[in-house]
C-alpha cells in the first residue's frame, strides 16, 4: 500500500496559487494585463491613494498600455468614459493612442473627448511628454480642429472655462480656420485680439455689456464665469433659480454662503428641483453623487434641501437592478477604506471616501434586494443591524459609523462557512488589500489566498453560487482569481451594477468584465 502520510489529500491542493503580493504586503493574484488596465482606467484619477502614489499609477498604466493591443486600449477608453464616467485615464489612453495607433484614436476621439474638460485633459497630457511626444502631431491637431469646428459659436463660448491649457491656448496650438465671419470674430474674442463685436453671439455681447455695469439680470453663462465676480445676493438668487440639476447639486454650499437660502421661496424651488424624479433620472444621478452632496452640505444648507437629497437618493436607486436569489453583501470598513475614493490631490481632494462608496453600494443593493444579508468586515466580520426598509442614506450612515481595523477579506466567507449559510451571489466591495489573512508560509510558498480557500469550501454546499469582487481603487491584484464563478470588476459608477446583474444571470462569457469591454464597438 502507498505511504498514507505522503499521499494524503491536502485541502485546497488544487486551488490556484497566488502570483504576487498586493500593495499592503499580502499574497494576491495578479490581474491579467487587460484586466489590470481596465481596473486602473475604471477607478484611477491619477491621484495618490492610500497605498500608491499618482506617479506609480501613471507608470503602471503606461507599462500596461505597451503590453495591450491598441484595439483594447481604444475600447477601454470608450468604456471607462461612457460607462464609468471617468475623465483622466480615458484621456491618457487617447494620448497613448496618439503615439501608437492614430487610426484607432480617430475612431474613438469624438466619443471619448466629448466636452471641453476632456479636450483640455487630452492636450495637457499629450503636451507633457509622458506618452512619448510633446507636440500634438498632424492627426491629433486635425482631430482637435474638428472638435472646435463641430461646436456652435455659443457652445464654444460656453466651453471657455478652465486653464492649463485654456481654450485660447488650444486654439493657438491648432490654428483652426474659421468658416464664417462670426466664427472669426469669436476666435478673436477668445484670443483677446481685435474683432468686430457686432458679429459675436448674442450671449457674448450680453455678457460683455453686463460686466460693464453689473446691473439687471445675470446673463445665462457658465457658472464658472461668474464665481470670481462681486455678485449681489439677488444676483446669486437669480443664478440659483435657473441652475440645472447637476449644477444645483454641486453648489449648495456656495448658494448658502451667498445668502441664497435666506429666501424661503428659493429653498422650496431648489428642494423641488433636487427631488424631482424626472430630473434625477435625466441627470443619470448615481447615488454616490448625492451622498457627496449630502455629506458635504454645511450647516447653512436648510434641512428641507437635505431631505430633498434623501428623496433624490431613493429615485437614484432605481438604477440598481434586482438580482435573483439570496445575496450576501460584504463591504470593507477597514482603515484604508477611509481614504478619498478619487485619491489625494492638494486643494482638490474629494470628501467622499472609499468607505462612503462601499457603504452606499451596499445600502443600494440591500434596498433593491431585500432578502440580502450585509456582512461588513475589517479584521473580522463587524456586527451591523440594517433594515432594508430604511432609506439608503440611513443604512449607509450606519455602515460608515462602524469601527475600522486591518483588512481580512476572507472573514465574511469564513463566517458564512461557519454558519453553513446558503446564498446565490456574494458581493465584496473593497480595495482588495487584504493582509491579515496571509499565513507566514504563504508569503513565500505561493499558497492560495485564504479568501479563495474559503470560497472553495463555500462552493461545496452552494455549487451554483457566484462571487463578485468589486474593487473601487486603482490597484492590480485580487484576492479571488477570475474563473467561471468569480467576477473581478472595478469602478464606482452605476455601470458596475449592470455587469453584476448580467454575471448573476449567467450572461457573461469566461472573460467576464474584459469580455464586456471587448464588445464595445469602435
Amino acid at each position: 500500500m502507498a505511504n498514507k502520510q505522503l499521499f494524503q489529500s491536502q485541502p485546497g491542493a488544487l486551488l490556484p496559487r497566488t502570483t504576487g503580493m498586493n500593495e499592503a504586503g499580502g499574497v494576491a493574484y495578479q490581474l491579467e494585463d487587460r484586466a489590470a488596465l481596465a481596473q486602473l482606467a475604471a477607478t484611477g484619477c491619477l491621484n495618490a491613494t492610500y497605498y500608491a502614489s499618482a506617479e506609480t499609477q501613471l507608470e503602471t498604466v503606461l507599462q500596461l498600455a505597451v503590453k495591450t493591443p491598441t484595439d483594447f486600449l481604444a475600447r477601454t477608453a470608450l468604456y471607462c468614459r461612457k460607462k464609468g464616467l471617468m475623465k483622466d485615464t480615458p484621456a491618457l489612453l487617447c494620448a497613448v493612442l496618439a503615439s501608437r495607433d492614430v487610426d484607432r484614436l480617430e475612431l474613438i476621439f469624438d466619443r471619448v473627448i466629448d466636452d471641453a474638460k476632456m479636450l483640455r485633459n487630452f492636450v495637457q497630457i499629450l503636451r507633457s511628454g509622458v506618452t512619448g511626444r510633446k507636440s500634438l502631431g498632424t492627426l491629433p491637431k486635425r482631430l482637435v480642429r474638428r472638435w472646435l469646428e463641430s461646436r456652435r459659436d455659443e457652445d464654444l463660448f460656453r466651453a471657455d472655462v478652465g486653464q492649463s491649457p485654456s481654450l485660447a491656448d488650444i486654439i493657438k496650438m491648432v490654428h483652426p480656420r474659421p468658416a464664417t465671419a462670426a466664427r472669426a470674430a469669436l476666435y478673436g474674442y477668445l484670443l483677446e485680439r481685435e474683432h468686430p463685436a457686432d458679429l459675436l453671439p448674442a450671449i457674448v455681447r450680453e455678457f460683455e455689456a453686463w460686466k460693464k455695469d453689473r446691473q439687471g439680470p445675470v446673463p445665462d453663462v457658465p457658472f464658472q464665469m461668474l464665481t470670481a465676480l462681486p455678485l449681489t445676493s439677488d444676483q446669486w438668487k437669480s443664478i440659483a433659480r435657473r441652475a440645472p440639476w447637476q449644477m444645483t447639486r454641486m453648489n449648495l454650499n456656495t448658494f448658502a454662503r451667498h445668502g441664497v437660502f435666506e429666501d424661503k421661496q428659493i429653498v422650496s424651488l431648489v428642494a423641488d428641483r433636487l427631488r424631482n424624479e424626472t430630473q434625477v433620472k435625466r441627470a443619470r444621478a448615481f447615488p454616490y453623487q448625492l451622498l457627496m452632496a449630502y455629506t458635504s452640505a454645511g450647516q447653512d444648507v436648510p434641512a428641507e434641501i437635505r431631505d430633498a437629497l434623501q428623496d433624490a437618493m431613493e429615485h437614484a436607486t432605481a438604477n440598481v437592478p434586482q438580482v435573483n436569489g439570496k445575496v450576501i453583501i460584504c463591504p470593507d470598513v477597514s482603515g484604508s477604506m477611509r481614504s478619498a475614493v478619487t485619491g489625494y490631490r492638494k486643494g482638490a481632494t474629494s470628501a467622499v471616501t472609499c468607505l462612503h462608496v462601499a457603504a452606499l453600494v451596499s445600502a443600494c443593493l440591500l434596498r433593491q434586494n431585500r432578502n440580502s444579508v450585509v456582512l461588513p468586515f475589517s479584521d473580522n466580520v463587524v456586527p451591523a443591524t440594517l433594515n432594508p426598509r430604511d432609506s439608503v442614506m440611513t443604512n449607509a450612515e450606519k455602515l460608515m459609523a462602524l469601527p475600522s481595523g486591518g483588512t481580512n477579506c476572507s472573514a465574511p466567507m469564513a463566517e458564512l462557512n461557519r454558519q453553513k449559510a446558503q446564498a446565490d451571489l456574494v458581493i465584496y466591495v473593497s480595495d482588495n488589500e487584504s493582509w491579515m489573512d496571509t499565513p507566514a508560509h504563504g508569503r513565500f510558498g505561493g499558497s492560495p489566498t485564504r479568501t479563495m480557500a474559503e470560497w472553495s469550501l463555500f462552493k461545496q454546499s452552494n455549487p451554483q453560487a457566484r462571487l463578485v469582487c468589486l474593487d473601487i481603487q486603482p490597484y492590480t491584484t485580487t484576492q479571488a482569481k477570475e474563473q467561471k464563478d468569480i467576477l473581478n470588476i472595478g469602478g464606482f459608477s452605476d455601470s458596475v451594477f449592470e455587469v453584476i446583474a448580467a454575471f448573476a444571470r449567467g450572461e457573461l462569457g469566461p472573460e467576464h468584465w474584459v469580455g464586456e469591454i471587448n464588445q464595445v464597438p469602435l
Side-chain angles (χ1 to χ4, degrees):
M1 175 170 286
N3 186 325
K4 291 183 179 180
Q5 296 298 318
L6 183 61
F7 295 106
Q8 65 180 329
S9 176
Q10 297 292 326
L14 300 180
L15 293 178
R17 302 308 192 196
T18 52
T19 55
M21 298 183 72
N22 60 30
E23 302 285 351
V27 295
Y29 299 100
Q30 190 69 39
L31 292 173
E32 177 265 332
D33 288 343
R34 292 175 303 164
L37 180 69
Q39 173 66 34
L40 288 164
T43 60
C45 298
L46 301 179
N47 296 327
T49 63
Y50 191 86
Y51 289 110
S53 68
E55 291 77 15
T56 299
Q57 290 179 53
L58 174 60
E59 182 180 354
T60 303
V61 171
L62 295 177
Q63 289 174 350
L64 289 168
V66 171
K67 303 176 184 178
T68 307
T70 55
D71 273 2
F72 190 78
L73 284 182
R75 289 188 166 96
T76 301
L78 269 174
Y79 180 92
C80 292
R81 177 59 184 153
K82 293 302 183 184
K83 292 283 190 177
L85 309 180
M86 300 300 286
K87 299 180 179 71
D88 293 344
T89 321
L92 173 61
L93 295 182
C94 283
V96 171
L97 287 171
S99 299
R100 285 192 57 193
D101 192 332
V102 290
D103 291 335
R104 293 293 177 272
L105 174 62
E106 186 168 17
L107 286 175
I108 67 168
F109 187 83
D110 294 329
R111 287 174 286 168
V112 177
I113 311 302
D114 55 4
D115 62 25
K117 169 67 173 173
M118 290 298 295
L119 184 69
R120 290 197 304 275
N121 284 351
F122 172 73
V123 173
Q124 179 187 4
I125 292 169
L126 201 55
R127 295 269 295 174
S128 73
V130 299
T131 61
R133 60 188 302 171
K134 287 194 173 183
S135 63
L136 290 184
T138 302
L139 179 66
K141 278 186 178 180
R142 177 163 62 82
L143 294 176
V144 173
R145 283 196 296 267
R146 188 173 74 189
W147 189 98
L148 296 169
E149 291 162 359
S150 68
R151 267 64 184 175
R152 297 182 308 147
D153 290 348
E154 181 176 318
D155 294 336
L156 206 56
F157 164 70
R158 293 181 180 278
D160 186 30
V161 293
Q163 298 294 323
S164 302
S166 66
L167 187 62
D169 293 332
I170 294 172
I171 291 171
K172 291 175 185 176
M173 291 178 201
V174 301
H175 306 292
R177 292 183 179 178
T180 65
R183 178 56 62 92
L186 179 61
Y187 284 156
Y189 169 83
L190 294 173
L191 296 174
E192 298 182 346
R193 296 173 181 169
E194 287 190 16
H195 58 275
D198 59 321
L199 293 181
L200 292 173
I203 186 61
V204 181
R205 286 182 273 120
E206 181 185 349
F207 180 52
E208 288 301 313
W210 179 84
K211 283 196 301 182
K212 291 178 181 177
D213 59 19
R214 311 264 169 80
Q215 300 298 313
V218 179
D220 186 14
V221 298
F223 181 68
Q224 299 93 322
M225 293 182 179
L226 301 170
T227 53
L229 301 176
L231 304 179
T232 67
S233 176
D234 286 343
Q235 288 169 334
W236 277 106
K237 291 174 184 177
S238 175
I239 293 170
R241 283 191 185 95
R242 64 164 181 258
W245 192 93
Q246 286 282 20
M247 176 185 156
T248 302
R249 173 189 67 81
M250 295 170 65
N251 290 283
L252 295 176
N253 287 330
T254 301
F255 290 154
R257 190 165 61 250
H258 290 93
V260 170
F261 297 137
E262 294 172 4
D263 187 323
K264 300 297 182 184
Q265 192 176 44
I266 293 184
V267 170
S268 296
L269 183 149
V270 168
D272 289 344
R273 179 187 300 152
L274 288 171
R275 67 164 59 94
N276 183 285
E277 183 174 1
T278 301
Q279 292 198 49
V280 171
K281 291 182 177 178
R282 186 184 298 131
R284 292 190 65 204
F286 182 53
Y288 152 74
Q289 295 176 312
L290 289 158
L291 178 66
M292 181 166 62
Y294 185 84
T295 57
S296 301
Q299 293 183 348
D300 293 334
V301 175
E304 184 179 348
I305 290 177
R306 291 173 177 274
D307 291 343
L309 288 170
Q310 293 209 53
D311 295 338
M313 179 74 79
E314 297 303 314
H315 298 321
T317 57
N319 296 335
V320 181
Q322 291 186 343
V323 178
N324 292 330
K326 185 173 181 180
V327 181
I328 308 293
I329 308 161
C330 307
D332 182 350
V333 298
S334 65
S336 61
M337 295 290 284
R338 265 68 180 176
S339 62
V341 70
T342 54
Y344 296 101
R345 179 184 294 177
K346 187 175 181 180
T349 299
S350 172
V352 177
T353 67
C354 298
L355 177 58
H356 284 119
V357 175
L360 186 56
V361 168
S362 302
C364 289
L365 286 166
L366 178 63
R367 182 71 167 171
Q368 293 294 90
N369 301 273
R370 297 195 175 188
N371 66 338
S372 301
V373 174
V374 179
L375 291 180
F377 70 94
S378 56
D379 310 60
N380 293 293
V381 170
V382 180
T385 303
L386 304 180
N387 183 349
R389 294 183 178 275
D390 283 343
S391 71
V392 168
M393 206 76 83
T394 297
N395 282 326
E397 287 183 317
K398 287 181 180 178
L399 290 170
M400 289 186 290
L402 294 175
S404 66
T407 309
N408 179 357
C409 285
S410 66
M413 291 305 313
E415 178 62 18
L416 292 173
N417 287 329
R418 187 188 68 78
Q419 296 177 4
K420 296 182 170 53
Q422 298 292 305
D424 301 283
L425 181 67
V426 179
I427 303 174
Y428 275 75
V429 191
S430 173
D431 60 7
N432 270 313
E433 293 298 307
S434 193
W435 57 273
M436 294 194 69
D437 49 355
T438 293
H441 68 85
R443 294 181 183 274
F444 309 100
S447 64
T449 62
R450 178 74 184 278
T451 301
M452 201 70 181
E454 294 289 351
W455 174 248
S456 177
L457 181 60
F458 184 77
K459 286 282 288 185
Q460 292 178 19
S461 54
N462 296 272
Q464 301 304 313
R466 292 172 181 262
L467 172 64
V468 173
C469 297
L470 173 55
D471 197 333
I472 54 180
Q473 284 287 266
Y475 305 128
T476 59
T477 61
T478 179
Q479 290 296 295
K481 187 173 176 60
E482 187 100 345
Q483 55 188 40
K484 184 178 180 181
D485 59 347
I486 297 177
L487 166 68
N488 286 292
I489 181 174
F492 36 78
S493 78
D494 56 355
S495 64
V496 299
F497 292 117
E498 301 169 10
V499 179
I500 290 172
F503 178 69
R505 294 191 298 266
E507 295 176 358
L508 296 186
E511 286 189 309
H512 302 324
W513 191 30
V514 168
E516 279 286 292
I517 294 173
N518 271 327
Q519 292 177 22
V520 174
L522 291 179

